[in-house]
Amino acid sequence: LANFCSRPQLVGTRASLQAPREDQRACILVDSREVTSGAEVISSLRAIHGFHVEVCPLNGCDYIVSNRMVVERRYHSEMANSLHKRKLIGQIQYLQNLFERICVIVEKDREKAGESSRIFKRTKSYDSLLTALISAGIRILFSSCQEETADLLKELSLVEQRKNVGIHVPTVVNSSKWEALQFYLSIPNISYITALNMCHQFSSVKKMTNSTAQEISMYARVTQEKADEIHRYIRCLFDVHMLPDALRPGRLRSPVSSAC
Amino acid sequence: MERAAPGGIDPVHVPFGHIVANEKWRGSELAQGMQGKIKLVFEDDLTPVDFYLSSRSCILFVTEAELVAGNSYRKRLVRVRNSSNLQGIVIVEKTQMSEQYFSAMQKFTVLDLGMVLLPVASQMEASCLIIQLVQEQVKEPSSNPFLRNKRAQISEPSLLRTVQQISGVGKVKAPLLLQKFPSIQQLSNASVRDLEPVVGQAAAQQIHTFFTQPR
């Protein structure tokens, strides 16, 4: 099982030397889809806990609470129903490609007006899902309502800040930065916060593309492994013959076929 | 009573597919739920642990009564947390009566100690869950969907998409550029004069500006 203790990192040691600025409030990034399904989570974070909550197009990552951690919010009924299982597994695997750490908050379903409270029968499918998540080192928290979920998100964010992996870049980008952000976001398996860090930490896109893996790790605030992956992608050589036919432009057919 | 140094926990040998249970659980609903499905070995002197799944992982069971009574369970949790080679999983009886204490307990267990916490409604549920935990431990790691190795992906479609994010470059110019400058790095270092023959003067200038402009 994964150990939750923070690993000493290049980034961490550098950041620990600077005291956090007084005016810098804790920040959490929220996926725009959560505005409809988790409105109370967002307003509790803002109103009760005084958090800076930025709604962004996170592509299905519910909450980003630090440079490395994503939080997936799920209703208990979704976890217990084996019909939803495959979809959930797919979602977690997607998040595993993007983030170093994942936390799932299992929230009690809301009771709709007029509906008698449903009693959940614990299923084998639910238990096996929980145990599989645990042995992959994915954290699980249980919440009774949206307000409690907000409280848990706050706690997670504070724990991450204490480990020097808090979000410390502006979350709003101007139009010139926005262009670069879209470029960084197109790198495979890169999270929104990593792309945002790149935007703010590299003085130009060219600076980023000529960086060593170690520099990428330091400025984008990612593990050495992830930095190597990004570094490889930036230097990998394009071969038009590896493109699926649908993407291959007509005029770029191989010389053999055009000779026919 | 304790043979080990204060805070220390003696290593316990657990045969494959067995559970070593604390003697105090003999005859309980929890133990009965597991018997027949898995082999239980009872042992004295396991405190603070309730069950061992292997020599490296154990279960601490916090009953409804313990949770309602106060914070005394914390001492047990901390002892296991402090033993360097033992992974503790905490199972807590979360019932209507103990529900109100659950939130504080979860914060302490998961956020402060970094341990795994699983709520159950009864001892019967706990026995099913523990059996599942044992099954998870004895099966091949590759059968866990969250532990599967990542497949290597072909980069070409992504490279096209990345190059298309540069202003002035669309579906037609992207593959032309990548055939001449086959990596993102090489493209970023191309001069306007290098780019001009491929995409024309205006686009060449735009691409160069995209890479070099201070952000």
Side-chain angles (χ1 to χ4, degrees):
Chain A
L1 293 184
N3 189 351
F4 288 131
C5 294
S6 69
R7 213 180 313 155
Q9 270 183 350
L10 210 68
V11 183
T13 47
R14 214 177 65 115
S16 61
L17 296 174
Q18 316 163 318
R21 268 166 283 160
E22 285 286 328
D23 59 323
Q24 211 158 30
R25 280 190 301 165
C27 172
I28 289 181
L29 304 181
V30 181
D31 191 19
S32 28
R33 287 185 326 177
E34 283 288 295
V35 173
T36 45
S37 58
E40 275 170 58
V41 179
I42 299 174
S43 54
S44 297
L45 276 173
R46 281 189 178 138
I48 303 172
H49 305 301
F51 264 61
H52 173 69
V53 180
E54 194 67 41
V55 178
C56 313
L58 299 184
N59 260 323
C61 306
D62 293 347
Y63 299 89
I64 299 178
V65 295
S66 73
N67 286 326
R68 60 178 187 187
M69 186 187 256
V70 68
V71 180
E72 174 82 2
R73 175 176 155 263
R74 287 278 162 164
Y75 287 116
H76 188 203
S77 61
E78 291 177 281
M79 298 280 289
N81 187 338
S82 58
L83 293 175
H84 294 297
K85 198 172 179 176
R86 190 182 294 182
K87 223 172 144 189
L88 176 76
I89 290 172
Q91 170 69 5
I92 299 290
Q93 288 171 335
Y94 162 72
L95 296 177
Q96 282 181 312
N97 286 331
L98 300 182
F99 291 91
E100 202 186 325
R101 285 175 195 218
I102 301 171
C103 177
V104 178
I105 296 185
V106 183
E107 194 177 284
K108 198 174 155 194
D109 294 65
R110 309 176 92 175
E111 282 161 27
K112 290 169 194 130
E115 201 182 42
S116 61
S117 74
R118 281 169 286 180
I119 298 161
F120 287 110
K121 229 179 152 286
R122 204 179 174 105
T123 59
K124 193 170 157 47
S125 157
Y126 175 68
D127 280 349
S128 74
L129 185 59
L130 288 184
T131 53
L133 287 167
I134 289 169
S135 68
I138 293 163
R139 246 195 241 211
I140 308 170
L141 290 166
F142 298 86
S143 159
S144 58
C145 60
Q146 294 203 5
E147 285 84 353
E148 194 179 347
T149 299
D151 184 47
L152 291 171
L153 284 166
K154 176 201 77 173
E155 294 290 341
L156 282 170
S157 161
L158 294 178
V159 169
E160 288 290 274
Q161 275 182 53
R162 281 201 294 274
K163 294 180 179 171
N164 280 317
V165 286
I167 297 173
H168 288 302
V169 288
T171 48
V172 185
V173 291
N174 58 30
S175 62
S176 137
K177 278 208 167 73
W178 190 85
E179 222 186 2
L181 179 65
Q182 298 308 311
F183 179 83
Y184 294 139
L185 280 172
S186 74
I187 298 172
N189 300 329
I190 209 171
S191 72
Y192 192 89
I193 184 62
T194 301
L196 209 53
N197 284 332
M198 285 182 166
C199 251
H200 290 288
Q201 303 294 339
F202 289 106
S203 54
S204 73
V205 178
K206 187 173 170 176
K207 200 96 181 193
M208 187 265 146
T209 56
N210 287 299
S211 293
T212 62
Q214 194 148 29
E215 284 165 332
I216 294 175
S217 164
M218 183 158 80
Y219 292 121
R221 314 224 149 185
V222 289
T223 58
Q224 191 61 47
E225 190 190 6
K226 177 58 86 180
D228 288 340
E229 189 187 331
I230 297 169
H231 188 257
R232 263 198 309 277
Y233 179 74
I234 295 299
R235 279 162 180 73
C236 115
L237 296 179
F238 180 82
D239 176 0
V240 76
H241 301 291
M242 292 298 285
L243 275 181
D245 286 339
L247 285 173
R248 206 177 294 181
R251 65 171 110 164
L252 288 174
R253 272 194 208 112
S254 60
V256 186
S257 60
S258 57
C260 296
Chain B
M1 274 292 282
E2 283 178 76
R3 291 163 299 171
I9 296 169
D10 291 332
V12 169
H13 172 71
V14 184
F16 185 81
H18 284 58
I19 289 181
V20 173
N22 192 316
E23 181 63 33
K24 73 174 185 189
W25 290 102
R26 194 187 280 278
S28 66
E29 199 190 335
L30 182 50
Q32 277 166 7
M34 289 192 275
Q35 266 153 356
K37 291 169 190 144
I38 204 154
K39 291 193 187 85
L40 280 181
V41 182
F42 289 98
E43 259 183 52
D44 271 333
D45 254 354
L46 288 185
T47 329
V49 171
D50 291 299
F51 301 94
Y52 278 93
L53 305 179
S54 72
S55 54
R56 273 170 289 108
S57 81
C58 68
I59 287 176
L60 293 154
F61 189 83
V62 178
T63 61
E64 178 189 52
E66 240 180 315
L67 190 53
V68 173
N71 291 337
S72 54
Y73 63 83
R74 295 190 174 197
K75 224 182 241 172
R76 285 208 291 147
L77 267 52
V78 170
R79 266 191 69 188
V80 172
R81 175 68 180 80
N82 289 344
S83 63
S84 52
N85 43 21
L86 194 56
Q87 164 81 32
I89 296 173
V90 183
I91 298 183
V92 58
E93 229 176 336
K94 185 187 177 198
T95 61
Q96 264 185 329
M97 213 202 296
S98 65
E99 208 172 6
Q100 57 181 310
Y101 307 100
F102 175 78
S103 165
M105 190 220 180
Q106 173 167 258
K107 275 189 192 171
F108 179 73
T109 311
V110 184
L111 298 168
D112 295 346
L113 299 184
M115 292 170 88
V116 173
L117 176 68
L118 295 166
V120 293
S122 64
Q123 290 196 12
M124 224 30 230
E125 278 194 8
S127 63
C128 296
L129 183 58
I130 293 173
I131 290 167
Q132 192 61 51
L133 282 164
V134 174
Q135 282 171 356
E136 180 64 39
Q137 273 194 351
V138 299
K139 72 184 183 188
E140 284 286 307
S142 61
S143 64
N144 181 333
F146 308 117
L147 289 174
R148 256 174 225 160
N149 290 333
K150 288 177 225 167
R151 278 179 301 156
Q153 285 170 328
I154 296 173
S155 305
E156 273 71 12
S158 313
L159 285 169
L160 269 187
R161 221 172 313 128
T162 300
V163 173
Q164 282 173 31
Q165 302 308 315
I166 303 167
S167 53
V169 181
K171 277 187 181 147
V172 179
K173 284 179 185 150
L176 291 176
L177 283 165
L178 279 169
Q179 288 203 308
K180 191 77 205 296
F181 312 96
S183 72
I184 303 284
Q185 192 206 14
Q186 287 178 38
L187 179 60
S188 73
N189 292 324
S191 69
V192 179
R193 268 178 61 191
D194 297 333
L195 292 162
E196 259 179 13
V198 189
V199 289
Q201 198 190 346
Q205 188 58 56
Q206 265 183 311
I207 294 163
H208 188 258
T209 307
F210 173 85
F211 282 113
T212 53
Q213 182 190 21
R215 308 273 171 180

